[in-house]
Amino acid sequence: MAQRRRTERRTEVVASGVAELVPDPDRTTGWTLLLDGAPQSHVDLGDPTYLEFEYVRRIATAIDLAAPAGTPLRVLHLGGGALTVPRYVAATRPGSPQRVVEIDGPLVELVRSALPWDAKAKIRVRVGDAREAVTGMREAGYDIVVVDVFAGAQTPPHLASAEFVREVARVLAPTGWMLANVADGPPLSYARTQVATIRSVLPQAALVADAAVLRGRRFGNLVVVAGRTPLPIVDLRRRAAGDWFPGRVEDDLDRFTGGRPAATDLDAVASPLPPEGLFSSRS
């Protein structure tokens, strides 16, 4: 696949802010998508199985464990970015029917033109609001629902309530999993409430994150894996421990949530903003 010159940095105004496509200096076919200076996605057009961001690798690990290797899965992605995870699924599980919902139409067109995905992959992209899209979908249509939605650097409140999680659960197959990217920092108040909210609907759950993030020592991403049936905790732990940046799996979520109630549409809040300067070294 033909690539842009490695010195070319492309900047465009999209619906959600200023999008920048920055060439990866270490990978000749790698690109990072920034929105308003915050890294949103990294893709390697020559190797879609290469995953730069650690939280994305944790999402991919859960997908790897959801079914035997190579078995197609029906996957819904709420939040698109540069389609890193859909490309990974298409490469590792050929024939998987996937739908992506991304609210930013100009961003979709930028990614489609500048970072095209394999035309043979069964990836359909729909421009729209994630919750509105899910509400109109049929029951039990997906094996995996990935929730990774950010408006700017925050997840909107209407995607942080029990009512939203019930819609996600409705479109999941009985043995399906919801994989949610939750961004938070000390003292993890938002993450604790989100875990309580997800577990109020999908009670079998675990958290995968960097140990320092789980201990509330720094801002970062926590991946929630949740469903109705028991999770492969041992395998999740093994894979997390063997990552380039080893992670930890927390399954004592009664202790983690500390009795917090689930958030509802009446009181759900947006995820916290990242600390100022967190991404300055990457932009």
Side-chain angles (χ1 to χ4, degrees):
M1 184 179 295
Q3 300 297 310
R4 299 178 183 277
R5 289 178 298 137
R6 303 310 298 161
T7 56
E8 184 177 350
R9 179 175 180 139
R10 181 168 172 179
T11 302
E12 288 192 16
V13 176
V14 295
S16 52
V18 177
E20 297 174 87
L21 294 178
V22 181
D24 185 334
D26 300 318
R27 301 183 70 85
T28 58
T29 54
W31 294 85
T32 300
L33 167 67
L34 308 176
L35 280 176
D36 290 336
Q40 294 292 317
S41 304
H42 179 281
V43 296
D44 189 323
L45 300 183
D47 180 8
T49 66
Y50 175 81
L51 304 174
E52 176 79 11
F53 296 167
E54 58 192 71
Y55 87 87
V56 175
R57 293 198 300 277
R58 285 163 187 154
I59 290 173
T61 288
I63 294 172
D64 289 347
L65 296 174
T71 303
L73 289 171
R74 301 167 298 168
V75 186
L76 172 64
H77 305 266
L78 302 179
L83 275 65
T84 307
V85 177
R87 298 171 199 259
Y88 177 85
V89 173
T92 58
R93 297 180 178 275
S96 294
Q98 300 186 78
R99 177 181 289 188
V100 180
V101 180
E102 168 60 55
I103 198 168
D104 192 329
L107 177 62
V108 170
E109 291 311 308
L110 172 62
V111 171
R112 193 189 302 273
S113 64
L115 306 175
W117 53 91
D118 187 346
K120 299 189 295 295
K122 298 172 68 174
I123 299 172
R124 292 186 297 156
V125 181
R126 170 180 172 179
V127 175
D129 176 79
R131 182 158 171 178
E132 289 180 5
V134 171
T135 301
M137 292 178 184
R138 64 184 177 88
E139 294 185 10
Y142 295 96
D143 303 302
I144 299 285
V145 177
V146 180
V147 182
D148 188 11
V149 183
F150 287 84
Q154 294 178 282
T155 299
H158 73 297
L159 304 180
S161 69
E163 290 89 341
F164 168 67
V165 178
R166 281 197 286 271
E167 286 301 317
V168 171
R170 185 183 61 79
V171 304
L172 273 175
T175 58
W177 295 348
M178 173 183 179
L179 310 177
N181 174 29
V182 177
D184 200 7
L188 296 180
S189 298
Y190 178 78
R192 297 182 203 280
T193 297
Q194 278 303 286
V195 171
T197 301
I198 291 170
R199 289 181 75 216
S200 72
V201 181
L202 298 168
Q204 299 288 335
L207 271 175
V208 190
D210 179 86
V213 176
L214 272 174
R215 292 177 183 138
R217 294 179 180 172
R218 68 172 179 85
F219 192 95
N221 300 91
L222 305 95
V223 173
V224 184
V225 183
R228 302 179 180 93
T229 55
L231 302 176
I233 299 296
V234 172
D235 289 334
L236 281 171
R237 283 204 173 99
R238 175 179 54 81
R239 292 283 296 268
D243 190 61
W244 306 338
F245 296 97
R248 199 180 107 199
V249 175
E250 177 60 76
D251 63 337
D252 184 358
L253 297 183
D254 287 337
R255 182 194 62 80
F256 181 82
T257 57
R260 289 171 182 262
T264 70
D265 281 340
L266 295 177
D267 56 22
V269 298
S271 64
L273 284 167
E276 187 175 352
L278 179 65
F279 305 117
S280 59
S281 63
R282 299 195 220 174
S283 59

